[in-house]
Amino acid sequence: CRTKAMSGGYVVLPEGGEGAPDLVIVATGSEVGPSVDAAKALGSEHSIRTRVVSMPCQEVFLAQDAEYRASVLPGNVPTLSVEASSEYGWHRFSHGQIGMTRYGMSGPASELFEKYGFGKGNIASKGRELVEFYKNVPVPDLNARPTFVNFSGEGH
């Protein structure tokens, strides 16, 4: 797992079966466990083949070659990010986000995780909604966009 983490992002739970997954859930840290549980529930209860990706470091993942990045996050498959700290920045990797959108609260972590939508049930529900949404609309390819280097001059 440590070796895989050094790539910035890696598949924790493959979707199984043939062809591309129906859904990708990308998460980090303590959100990975509930995401795996949600993916298993989506598969057994709704036949939604779901891949779960752990992304401990976006910048390191982006430094990998395009072929590796696409093997982990295809880009043209409905993708849901799950990050407790914020939705900010996850639009580069996902079509829908579950993240903090307001100031936090105090209380037991497990209760707050549920309240803010980071539990298995909400992740599965939002994943299913995302798959349903893209049955009627083409899935935008998150990998089909230019990358610009804005820094110029010496020192980089």
Side-chain angles (χ1 to χ4, degrees):
C1 204
R2 178 174 153 72
T3 304
K4 291 179 180 179
M6 298 301 288
S7 63
Y10 59 96
V11 176
V12 173
L13 180 70
E15 63 278 2
E18 296 295 318
D22 302 316
L23 173 69
V24 175
I25 299 173
V26 58
T28 184
S30 56
E31 297 86 337
V32 174
S35 296
V36 168
D37 293 341
K40 289 177 180 177
L42 286 165
S44 65
E45 297 170 19
H46 303 286
S47 300
I48 297 174
R49 296 173 45 253
T50 305
R51 173 185 298 177
V52 178
V53 171
S54 174
M55 187 174 293
C57 185
Q58 294 179 0
E59 291 77 15
V60 172
F61 182 74
L62 289 170
Q64 305 305 312
D65 64 61
E67 184 177 344
Y68 176 77
R69 292 191 316 266
S71 76
V72 175
L73 293 176
N76 60 350
V77 170
T79 303
L80 177 67
S81 63
V82 183
E83 170 53 56
S85 70
S86 172
E87 292 180 356
Y88 181 76
W90 287 97
H91 63 280
R92 295 181 294 176
F93 306 102
S94 60
H95 301 95
Q97 298 80 35
I98 297 174
M100 294 290 289
T101 57
R102 56 169 288 195
Y103 190 73
M105 300 172 76
S106 296
S110 60
E111 290 177 25
L112 293 175
F113 237 53
E114 286 296 325
K115 184 170 189 70
Y116 281 101
F118 302 108
K120 166 188 152 184
N122 188 59
I123 296 169
S125 174
K126 295 303 184 265
R128 191 168 161 222
E129 286 180 41
L130 194 64
V131 169
E132 288 299 316
F133 176 84
Y134 282 114
K135 284 184 177 178
N136 301 312
V137 179
V139 180
D141 188 346
L142 295 169
N143 296 322
R145 58 178 144 193
T147 303
F148 300 111
V149 176
N150 297 313
F151 182 84
S152 63
E154 293 183 37
H156 194 37

